[in-house]
């Protein structure tokens, strides 16, 4: 039964980890302080100030470079067990390369991890959350396979510096979104138009970089440090527009294979490599378009082997759902492109709420269905767990965020159903985001935080929203009280 009032019948198991998420470029600021080098987000936004909706950049952001102790207090107040954050590559390696290590940057993160641990909060650390060192982006970023070597060097430095404190590592945040939006849709810096070609080079090299770092940790660090390493994959849920129409069901499955399977299958399936459907589809499309080689690169046998099983758990980001039906000829697609290759029509149900801008539609069962899809597609999740590393909702501001409260209640309830009724092996959940931040192309116009940040105040003052109190209650009671905020606000709960 789906509960929407009172207290949830199910509770989160004792070993279930609650956390909050953030990313370096989105909150840190201090772009040129303490010896930090530039990432492409610094460089590109300085050169193209109108790239973001509000013409803002990340120079100061939420100024966590100076206010990190407040951040830790906020995290503590939620009662969560873990904090997912990322390291800015160029804060510790200003040139991107390991020939020069910036001690001030090293100290910043070391202090952060120590303070978190003092507060009994486990740091979960992403190595790459989209802030590619500018020198590397100048020769292609992830589309240049040489960057894999430099990413390995950077990861080794990070493991050496922090591996005594950090036991949960994530290599790359959302390679699917990062590659598609940087090289395909050109909505992430530096907005390169290489749709249908660059997007797959980037995806391919991101996967290889992940495997390289996983195997390096396994060999050089794991025996002593005993940590876990994984990757963060993102996916919408694809709901068949008409569940009784087999073509729509197939379209939804195709979407999931092209956008999530492409990244998940090489790592989590028994056979490894890209899913046969994805391989065949892109090969066929490439051939029809006159290419003499597939736009999707091939792995060698050794690479397939290195990738297979290269994760100790899965980090899964999920926000929204679309209705899918077949449509090979959508006129708005660029040719070639990931979306054209996918060949499905995506639309939102007009009944779904959209509290923020354009893309985030609220469909809570999508989370349960997505987790089940992952669990059922890859046997490995009988042994290794799934962590939801991001989930949350956007709006345009303020602290009375009832829509966000509802979003968390409803999505987390669906997660309870996935755990208790479907037996899915989900062991943790991280809300996106701890606080309002720099939302990439949206600048500061879109808000995701549990804490409100006043971006006009010099101190970037932080204030808990209703969703922070509500999340804190879920974390502490391990149940969802659908009336908690109503009671807190003295509203009628009947
Ligand atoms: C996450 O990506 C990121 O990891 C995180 O950094 C970010 O802050 C968070 O989302 C919230 O935005 O339809 O062309 O406008 C989530 C992936 C990002 C996928 C936005 C859909 C919309 C592209 N989503 N994207 S578009």
């Amino acid at each position: 039964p789906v509960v929407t009032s009172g207290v949830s019948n199910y509770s989160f198991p004792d070993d279930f980890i609650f956390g909050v998420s953030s990313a370096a470029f989105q909150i840190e600021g201090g772009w040129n302080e303490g010896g930090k080098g530039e990432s492409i987000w610094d460089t590109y936004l300085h050169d193209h100030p109108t790239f973001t909706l509000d013409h803002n950049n990340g120079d100061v952001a939420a100024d966590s470079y100076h206010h990190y102790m407040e951040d830790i207090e906020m995290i503590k107040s939620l009662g969560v067990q873990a904090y997912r954050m990322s390291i800015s590559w160029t804060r510790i390696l200003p040139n991107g390369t390991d020939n020069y290590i910036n001690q001030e940057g090293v100290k910043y993160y070391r202090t952060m991890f120590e303070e978190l641990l003092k507060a009994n909060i486990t740091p979960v650390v992403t190595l790459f959350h989209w802030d590619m060192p500018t020198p590397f982006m100048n020769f292609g970023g992830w589309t240049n396979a040489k960057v894999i070597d430099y990413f390995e060097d950077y990861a080794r430095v990070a493991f050496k510096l922090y591996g005594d404190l950090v036991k949960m590592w994530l290599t790359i945040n959302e390679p699917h979104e990062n590659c598609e939006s940087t090289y395909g849709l050109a909505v992430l810096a530096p907005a390169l138009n290489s749709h249908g070609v660059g997007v797959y080079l980037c995806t391919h090299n991101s996967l290889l970089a992940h495997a390289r770092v996983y195997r390096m940790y396994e060999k050089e660090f794991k025996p002593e440090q005993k940590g876990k390493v994984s990757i963060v994959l993102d996916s919408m849920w694809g709901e068949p527009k008409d569940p009784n129409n087999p073509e729509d069901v197939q379209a939804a499955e195709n979407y999931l294979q092209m956008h999530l399977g492409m990244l998940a299958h090489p790592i989590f399936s028994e056979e490894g490599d890209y899913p046969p459907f994805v391989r065949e589809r892109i090969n066929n499309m490439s051939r029809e378009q006159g290419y003499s080689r597939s736009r999707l690169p091939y792995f060698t046998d050794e690479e397939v082997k290195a990738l297979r099983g290269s994760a100790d758990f899965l980090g899964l980001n999920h926000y929204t759902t679309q209705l899918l039906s077949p449509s090979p000829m959508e006129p708005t697609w660029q040719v070639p492109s990931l979306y054209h290759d996918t060949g499905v029509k995506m639309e939102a149900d007009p009944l779904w709420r959209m509290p923020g801008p354009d893309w985030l539609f609220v469909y809570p069962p999508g989370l349960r269905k997505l987790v089940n899809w992952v669990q059922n597609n890859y046997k490995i999740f009988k042994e290794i767990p799934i962590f939801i590393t991001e989930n949350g909702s956007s709006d345009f501001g303020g602290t009375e965020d009832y829509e966000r409260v509802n979003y968390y209640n409803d999505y987390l309830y669906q997660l309870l159903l996935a755990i208790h009724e479907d037996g899915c092996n989900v062991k943790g959940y991280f809300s996106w985001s701890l606080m309002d931040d720099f939302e990439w192309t949206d600048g500061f116009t879109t808000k995701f935080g549990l804490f409100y940040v006043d971006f006009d105040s010099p101190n970037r003052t932080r204030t808990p929203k209703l969703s922070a109190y509500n999340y804190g209650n879920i974390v502490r009671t391990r149940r969802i009280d659908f009336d908690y905020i109503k009671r807190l606000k003295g509203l009628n709960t009947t």
Side-chain angles (χ1 to χ4, degrees):
V2 174
V3 179
T4 51
S5 68
V7 178
S8 63
N9 44 347
Y10 294 118
S11 65
F12 290 95
D14 289 340
D15 62 350
F16 188 91
I17 293 169
F18 277 107
V20 273
S21 274
S22 72
F25 189 77
Q26 296 180 268
I27 61 168
E28 259 179 28
W31 74 279
N32 62 354
E33 285 180 69
K36 179 180 163 296
E38 287 189 32
S39 84
I40 194 57
W41 280 91
D42 299 307
T43 310
Y44 191 76
L45 294 184
H46 292 157
D47 292 348
H48 303 83
T50 59
F51 186 63
T52 52
L53 219 59
D54 55 5
H55 300 184
N56 274 311
N57 59 34
D59 287 2
V60 183
D63 204 15
S64 287
Y65 187 61
H66 297 109
H67 295 280
Y68 63 92
M69 283 307 288
E70 276 170 62
D71 295 354
I72 293 174
E73 284 307 313
M74 284 146 58
I75 301 162
K76 269 162 75 175
S77 77
L78 296 169
V80 294
Q81 291 86 50
Y83 180 46
R84 173 176 173 236
M85 54 179 281
S86 81
I87 295 177
S88 155
W89 187 336
T90 54
R91 194 176 289 291
I92 62 174
L93 302 179
N95 311 315
T97 48
D98 66 356
N99 62 317
Y100 171 62
I101 300 177
N102 174 36
Q103 290 309 324
E104 259 189 271
V106 169
K107 196 163 156 261
Y108 174 70
Y109 293 113
R110 184 129 197 120
T111 310
M112 183 83 201
F113 300 146
E114 284 171 352
E115 293 294 333
L116 284 168
L117 288 168
K118 261 192 235 163
N120 263 321
I121 297 159
T122 303
V124 177
V125 178
T126 314
L127 289 169
F128 179 81
H129 200 123
W130 303 357
D131 41 2
M132 177 64 71
T134 300
F136 296 159
M137 192 44 105
N138 290 342
F139 59 80
W142 289 121
T143 59
N144 186 334
K146 194 67 197 161
V147 170
I148 299 168
D149 293 344
Y150 290 117
F151 184 63
E152 183 186 13
D153 297 344
Y154 157 53
R156 184 180 286 106
V157 169
F159 295 153
K160 268 191 200 147
L161 287 170
Y162 306 124
D164 57 330
L165 305 178
V166 178
K167 304 296 177 187
M168 258 178 112
W169 294 97
L170 296 158
T171 53
I172 300 177
N173 180 66
E174 301 188 349
H176 160 262
E177 173 71 13
N178 179 51
C179 293
E180 173 56 7
S181 290
T182 303
Y183 298 94
L185 303 170
V187 293
L188 289 179
L192 301 167
N193 259 296
S194 184
H195 44 86
V197 179
V199 55
Y200 297 137
L201 273 176
C202 171
T203 303
H204 194 77
N205 291 333
S206 299
L207 281 166
L208 289 174
H210 163 76
R212 182 83 75 77
V213 167
Y214 182 88
R215 297 300 168 201
M216 181 266 285
Y217 184 86
E218 188 177 45
K219 185 158 168 265
E220 298 175 26
F221 297 94
K222 202 172 201 168
E224 206 197 315
Q225 295 185 356
K226 302 191 167 46
K228 294 191 188 312
V229 179
S230 184
I231 188 167
V232 177
L233 303 183
D234 64 290
S235 189
M236 301 190 320
W237 171 244
E239 182 73 9
K241 186 174 179 187
D242 172 1
N244 297 316
N245 180 345
E247 286 191 9
D248 291 1
V249 173
Q250 190 59 50
E253 176 62 17
N254 291 356
Y255 174 87
L256 286 162
Q257 287 299 343
M258 288 290 286
H259 294 253
L260 176 57
M262 188 186 291
L263 283 297
H265 197 273
I267 300 173
F268 298 105
S269 73
E270 278 180 315
E271 6 11 303
D273 209 337
Y274 292 116
F277 170 80
V278 168
R279 165 56 64 203
E280 211 178 294
R281 178 100 188 173
I282 301 173
N283 284 8
N284 289 343
M285 295 293 276
S286 304
R287 194 175 313 115
E288 279 167 32
Q289 289 157 348
Y291 294 83
S292 64
R293 72 170 72 240
S294 177
R295 287 180 280 101
L296 184 67
Y298 281 84
F299 294 119
T300 65
D301 291 348
E302 288 85 75
E303 289 169 343
V304 169
K305 244 182 86 193
L307 267 159
R308 206 188 321 135
S310 63
D312 302 318
F313 59 96
L314 164 66
L316 184 63
N317 291 358
H318 173 75
Y319 289 89
T320 192
T321 293
Q322 297 263 344
L323 298 179
L324 299 175
S325 52
S327 169
M329 292 303 190
E330 191 82 6
T332 53
W333 287 323
Q334 294 170 299
V335 183
S337 67
L338 170 60
Y339 281 90
H340 185 257
D341 288 339
T342 308
V344 296
K345 183 173 156 83
M346 301 166 44
E347 60 198 304
D349 188 321
L351 294 174
W352 293 342
R353 297 200 55 78
M354 191 184 67
D358 44 39
W359 60 274
L360 206 163
F361 302 93
V362 181
Y363 179 66
L367 178 58
R368 179 184 184 181
K369 294 178 184 186
L370 180 66
V371 165
N372 270 281
W373 189 91
V374 169
Q375 182 82 41
N376 296 334
N377 267 270
Y378 310 108
K379 286 201 194 95
I380 200 170
F381 294 110
K382 290 202 177 87
E383 280 123 57
I384 67 170
I386 302 167
F387 286 86
I388 306 302
T389 34
E390 286 180 30
N391 175 245
S393 173
S394 53
D395 63 21
F396 299 107
T399 55
E400 306 270 296
D401 56 341
Y402 289 96
E403 294 258 23
R404 182 171 290 103
V405 168
N406 291 337
Y407 182 100
Y408 280 123
N409 286 345
D410 294 345
Y411 272 75
L412 278 165
Y413 187 66
Q414 292 293 326
L415 198 60
L416 280 175
L417 297 178
I419 295 169
H420 293 283
E421 296 197 353
D422 313 332
C424 292
N425 192 12
V426 186
K427 292 290 185 209
Y429 175 94
F430 293 72
S431 122
W432 182 275
S433 181
L434 172 61
M435 63 188 133
D436 294 342
D437 63 7
F438 177 81
E439 271 298 324
W440 310 114
T441 350
D442 286 348
F444 298 107
T445 61
T446 299
K447 318 287 183 178
F448 273 90
L450 295 171
F451 285 79
Y452 171 86
V453 176
D454 181 357
F455 289 102
D456 295 324
S457 77
N459 285 329
R460 298 298 188 274
T461 314
R462 290 123 156 86
T463 315
K465 302 182 189 179
L466 293 179
S467 58
Y469 296 111
N470 187 63
Y471 190 55
N473 184 62
I474 296 172
V475 170
R476 274 183 284 268
T477 63
R478 311 230 130 217
R479 283 177 200 267
I480 301 156
D481 178 351
F482 290 89
D483 298 321
Y484 182 74
I485 290 299
K486 284 185 220 153
R487 257 203 319 282
L488 196 78
K489 299 291 288 180
L491 300 173
N492 198 342
T493 54
T494 53

